[in-house]
């Protein structure tokens, strides 16, 4: 199946998925947390998979079958592997843009040193690049890249693309316990991402069965620290912890507001008190939410924060 969904997504609204890579999975990485399993055959060679016209026809049929209310906000390349391995990616994006629906691509960013890949991605409206680490050793441990990939070139490709791309650039960093979640590694990663100047830096955790069974998410204290470190770099940082938050602010329902906002980012104690005051809510609802294991209190620096509990 080339197209699927639409799937509700906090980042993209209603997103119609496009898989431009036929099975089995083809990727230039074999990330330890990959939810589609281990990459059996890694590659960096771009290949022909589908004629762009075939992708277009499939998407057209899919769009025609949807009710008006289900029409997608984005057509999103989220492939069975790495979408930039498709040599026809640029042509497919161009032809899909005739639907007048913005095109999004989620890429591992490993091939950005290649000008043709950058040129293809520049045709999209929204691009998410994976940045899990900013040192070679950690990059190799977490992403397990194809042998010929060079860390320095990978970073240069990222910087080059961010300087050329005119659409909306976001980053996604997957946090894995004991691999890329130490203070020093987080600071390195945040430093690189700050140079990319993304609209939003997303921090995520493994929430589905990972390629390697021992892979675990960091605990809430560390996720809070990561958010603080990224925010200190001036990054607009949001959490993706496995459930959708709305980040809508104050709705009048304090419990819902707290859960929604904590899902996206930690709430500092003084902000929390202000939120309760605005909602005329009783502070004891915090105890209720903590006992119900919806949120957790964590300390960072001299402050107390509340963060969504995911365990
Ligand atoms: S880049 Fe994506 S598809 Fe490739 S191994 Fe990593 S998580 Fe899986």
């Amino acid at each position: 199946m080339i197209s699927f969904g639409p799937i509700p997504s906090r980042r993209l609204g209603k997103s119609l998925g496009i898989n431009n890579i036929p099975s089995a999975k083809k990727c230039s990485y074999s990330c330890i947390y990959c939810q589609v399993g281990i990459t059996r055959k890694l590659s960096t060679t771009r290949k022909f998979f589908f004629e762009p016209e075939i992708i277009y026809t499939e998407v057209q049929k899919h769009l025609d079958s949807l009710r008006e209310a289900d029409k997608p906000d984005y057509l999103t390349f989220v492939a069975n592997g790495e979408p930039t391995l498709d040599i026809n990616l640029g042509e497919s994006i161009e032809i899909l843009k005739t639907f007048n629906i913005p095109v999004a691509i989620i890429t591992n960013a490993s091939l950005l040193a290649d000008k043709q890949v950058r040129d293809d991605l520049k045709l999209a409206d929204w691009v998410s690049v994976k940045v899990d680490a900013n040192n070679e050793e950690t990059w190799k441990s977490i992403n397990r890249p194809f042998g010929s990939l060079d860390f320095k070139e990978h970073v240069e490709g990222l910087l080059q693309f961010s300087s050329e791309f005119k659409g909306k650039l976001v980053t996604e960093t997957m946090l894995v316990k004991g691999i890329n979640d130490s203070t020093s590694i987080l600071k390195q990663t945040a430093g690189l991402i700050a140079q990319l100047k993304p609209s939003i830096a997303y921090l995520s955790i493994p929430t589905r069965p990972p390629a390697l069974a021992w892979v675990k998410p960091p605990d809430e204290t560390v996720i809070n620290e990561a958010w603080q470190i990224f925010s200190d770099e001036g990054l607009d940082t949001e959490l993706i912890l496995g459930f959708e938050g709305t980040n809508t602010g104050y709705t009048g329902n304090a419990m819902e507001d707290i859960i929604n906002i904590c899902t996206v980012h930690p709430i500092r104690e003084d902000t929390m008190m202000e939120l309760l005051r605005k909602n005329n809510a009783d502070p004891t609802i915090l105890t209720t939410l903590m006992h119900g294991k919806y949120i957790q209190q964590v300390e960072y620096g001299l402050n107390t924060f509340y963060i969504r509990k995911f365990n």
Side-chain angles (χ1 to χ4, degrees), residues 25-39 79-82 107-108 130 132 142-143 174:
K25 172 188 168 194
K26 294 162 190 68
C27 197
S28 45
Y29 282 176
S30 184
C31 302
I32 57 175
Y33 55 75
C34 184
Q35 41 183 272
V36 275
I38 287 169
T39 313
N80 183 26
E82 171 49 32
T107 172
N108 69 15
K130 183 188 292 300
D132 292 337
I142 193 164
N143 299 129
M174 181 72 88

Side-chain angles (χ1 to χ4, degrees), residues 31-285:
C31 302
I32 57 175
Y33 55 75
C34 184
Q35 41 183 272
V36 275
I38 287 169
T39 313
R40 300 277 166 210
K41 205 167 161 221
L42 285 94
S43 174
T44 51
T45 310
R46 304 190 81 198
K47 288 199 178 126
F48 169 90
F49 297 119
F50 294 109
E51 289 290 357
E53 289 75 17
I54 298 283
I55 294 185
Y56 177 87
T57 308
E58 287 291 312
V59 172
Q60 185 173 43
K61 273 197 266 173
H62 199 139
L63 289 173
D64 287 347
S65 72
L66 295 174
R67 293 178 313 151
E68 199 50 43
D70 294 329
K71 294 285 184 225
D73 301 304
Y74 274 92
L75 303 176
T76 308
F77 283 83
V78 45
N80 183 26
E82 171 49 32
T84 61
L85 285 173
D86 173 4
I87 200 146
N88 284 328
L89 179 64
E91 223 182 295
S92 296
I93 297 171
E94 276 188 316
I95 193 168
L96 288 175
K97 288 192 93 169
T98 59
F99 289 118
N100 286 322
I101 300 172
V103 174
I105 303 197
I106 298 174
T107 172
N108 69 15
S110 62
L111 306 181
L112 290 178
D114 179 341
K115 181 177 181 309
Q116 190 54 57
V117 170
R118 293 199 304 275
D119 287 346
D120 285 356
L121 288 175
K122 279 190 274 179
L123 298 167
D125 301 282
W126 185 101
V127 174
S128 170
V129 291
K130 183 188 292 300
V131 187
D132 292 337
N134 183 21
N135 76 68
E136 185 168 3
E137 196 187 335
T138 312
W139 176 64
K140 285 190 168 164
S141 307
I142 193 164
N143 299 129
R144 302 192 300 171
F146 180 70
S148 69
L149 285 169
D150 179 80
F151 179 69
K152 207 162 153 259
E153 282 176 15
H154 160 60
V155 171
E156 281 166 6
L158 272 166
L159 292 167
Q160 186 70 29
F161 180 68
S162 82
S163 70
E164 295 168 357
F165 183 49
K166 300 282 180 267
K168 187 166 178 181
L169 180 70
V170 305
T171 60
E172 182 167 348
T173 303
M174 181 72 88
L175 301 173
V176 176
K177 189 173 197 160
I179 301 291
N180 65 343
D181 64 341
S182 70
T183 306
S184 60
I185 290 178
L186 288 168
K187 283 185 176 167
Q188 272 179 344
T189 310
L192 170 59
I193 294 175
Q195 291 180 65
L196 303 178
K197 300 188 179 63
S199 306
I200 301 178
Y202 289 100
L203 290 172
S204 58
I205 54 167
T207 54
R208 306 209 185 107
L212 302 185
W214 56 262
V215 165
K216 296 276 176 285
D219 62 27
E220 284 87 354
T221 316
V222 176
I223 293 172
N224 176 52
E225 184 191 14
W227 187 86
Q228 307 291 348
I229 289 172
F230 274 52
S231 299
D232 286 349
E233 279 287 351
L235 292 161
D236 186 354
T237 308
E238 289 194 12
L239 303 172
I240 301 178
L241 303 181
F243 17 60
E244 296 290 303
T246 59
N247 204 9
T248 47
Y250 315 109
T251 63
N253 180 335
M255 270 207 190
E256 225 172 78
D257 286 352
I258 292 167
I259 291 175
N260 275 331
I261 300 170
C262 280
T263 297
V264 179
H265 58 74
I267 306 179
R268 210 169 68 183
E269 178 111 63
D270 51 353
T271 312
M272 179 67 90
M273 292 308 138
E274 180 66 8
L275 195 152
L276 292 171
R277 195 188 57 74
K278 280 187 184 165
N279 277 311
N280 292 321
D282 187 330
T284 57
I285 67 168

